Amino acid sequence: MRHPFLAFLCSLFWLAVPAASTAFATERGALFKVSLDGHEMHLFGTLHVGLPEFYPLEPRLAEALGQASTLALEIDPLQPQRELQRAVREHGMLEPGSAGYEGMAAQQRSLLDSLIAQGGIDAGRALRFKPVLLATLLTMAEYTRQGFKSELSSEAWLARQARAQGARVLELESLDRQLSLLDRLAEPDRWRFLDEMMGTIASGAQRREARAMVQAWGSADREALDAIAARCELDASVSGSFVTRVLLKERNADLAGSLLDLLRREPRTFAAVGVLHLLGSGSVPALLQEKGVQVERIY
């Protein structure tokens, strides 16, 4: 069974600002505490979509964030939309004059057109995107169809709380960096990536596994989250292996390095990255532990 879009969802973040909620706070995602030389960081595994009932996040998170001088995120969700638009123009658009999607087999092109329409995406704009970026948009559109909203991401909730408390919000990556990674596949594999993603949506696998992922994250089900991470690592498809190798493990090394620098500089910090960055082999906590950092998994 393939799970590339699960890792996709937890490895890239681009948007949004959540609304307030009065839901009962409970454990979500995964939470680690890391320490070095008397300095302490709480490391939270996020989901890049959400539901209103996810908020507020549980009291230990709020308390840790309240004591932190800095909140470190993959990307600042409050940055202007023009930054996203610029990065997409730079890294996500087909070259002028390229054959683009005209070269697809008739059956696959028909499926693509139906998924674009189903996702409520403007076809004229979508067909100007490179195939891996378009696969990302189709995946996120399917999550939206299922009721999960990017504007209710935990990163955005945390960013709002941090700013209200006067903490600094630090970006660990950039939109340029994230989008440039999507351009790393060889030309034939880019189209295979799109084919595989379309297949998971059309077959209903995306819908079933998205619900399982959100349920596991929403209840901090450690066993279920670890099992999802293990399945992702075993995925030998073009899309699955690319997500695991490049979008997760390669980025994990950079994220761990930046977080270690922050941990050494500041006594109390808080960091939040996609939950699959914190699980499995080559995870951020594992890489930090290799550097002599004390790591405790709280849940």
Side-chain angles (χ1 to χ4, degrees):
M1 183 179 295
R2 293 171 177 162
H3 300 258
F5 51 84
L6 295 180
F8 227 171
L9 178 68
C10 297
S11 66
L12 291 177
F13 174 74
W14 298 347
L15 303 171
V17 183
S21 171
T22 57
F24 178 74
T26 189
E27 292 177 358
R28 314 279 187 199
L31 180 63
F32 293 76
K33 184 168 68 173
V34 301
S35 55
L36 180 70
D37 298 331
H39 291 195
E40 182 179 283
M41 173 187 292
H42 282 79
L43 184 53
F44 180 55
T46 66
L47 191 65
H48 301 325
V49 295
L51 298 169
E53 55 264 34
F54 285 170
Y55 304 102
L57 294 174
E58 61 110 345
R60 281 175 295 182
L61 287 174
E63 181 180 359
L65 184 61
Q67 296 173 353
S69 60
T70 298
L71 168 65
L73 302 171
E74 294 170 46
I75 296 294
D76 182 355
L78 304 182
Q79 66 176 287
Q81 285 294 298
R82 62 177 177 271
E83 290 301 313
L84 172 59
Q85 295 164 359
R86 182 196 55 75
V88 168
R89 288 195 302 269
E90 180 74 19
H91 302 288
M93 309 301 290
L94 291 169
E95 294 295 329
S98 67
Y101 299 91
E102 298 305 317
M104 292 183 75
Q107 183 177 1
Q108 287 303 93
R109 177 57 191 270
S110 177
L111 175 58
L112 175 61
D113 290 341
S114 67
L115 291 178
I116 288 172
Q118 176 179 286
I121 303 170
D122 177 76
R125 185 165 179 260
L127 295 175
R128 296 169 57 203
F129 294 143
K130 293 178 180 178
V132 179
L133 177 55
L134 181 53
T136 311
L137 297 178
L138 292 174
T139 300
M140 294 304 297
E142 184 64 13
Y143 266 81
T144 300
R145 272 182 15 99
Q146 296 170 48
F148 309 127
K149 300 183 182 299
S150 61
E151 63 265 26
L152 295 175
S153 71
S154 38
E155 290 93 344
W157 189 89
L158 290 166
R160 286 186 57 178
Q161 300 299 310
R163 284 188 163 88
Q165 297 165 10
R168 178 174 65 127
V169 177
L170 170 70
E171 288 189 314
L172 298 169
E173 297 183 308
S174 68
L175 287 169
D176 283 288
R177 162 71 168 158
Q178 290 192 348
L179 285 175
S180 68
L181 290 175
L182 300 185
D183 211 21
R184 290 267 296 274
L185 276 171
E187 184 69 20
D189 287 341
R190 297 178 187 187
W191 298 99
R192 183 61 182 161
F193 189 107
L194 176 60
D195 271 355
E196 290 173 356
M197 288 292 191
M198 290 194 302
T200 62
I201 298 172
S203 69
Q206 202 271 3
R207 180 174 61 255
R208 294 188 297 272
E209 295 178 15
R211 290 174 179 170
M213 182 65 175
V214 174
Q215 182 177 0
W217 185 90
S219 58
D221 187 332
R222 179 171 178 167
E223 182 176 348
L225 287 170
D226 286 343
I228 289 170
R231 291 198 298 271
C232 288
E233 290 196 55
L234 294 174
D235 187 345
S237 66
V238 168
S239 51
S241 59
F242 174 73
V243 168
T244 298
R245 177 175 51 85
V246 176
L247 299 186
L248 286 174
K249 292 191 176 183
E250 182 176 318
R251 289 172 62 216
N252 285 351
D254 292 337
L255 290 170
S258 297
L259 291 173
L260 180 57
D261 289 343
L262 178 61
L263 179 63
R264 285 171 170 159
R265 288 197 311 268
E266 301 185 32
R268 294 291 180 271
T269 51
F270 192 106
V273 298
V275 67
L276 289 184
H277 289 291
L278 307 186
L279 308 175
S281 65
S283 68
V284 170
L287 293 173
L288 290 173
Q289 197 163 32
E290 290 174 5
K291 298 294 186 180
V293 176
Q294 183 176 345
V295 176
E296 174 191 357
R297 185 167 179 177
I298 299 173
Y299 56 76

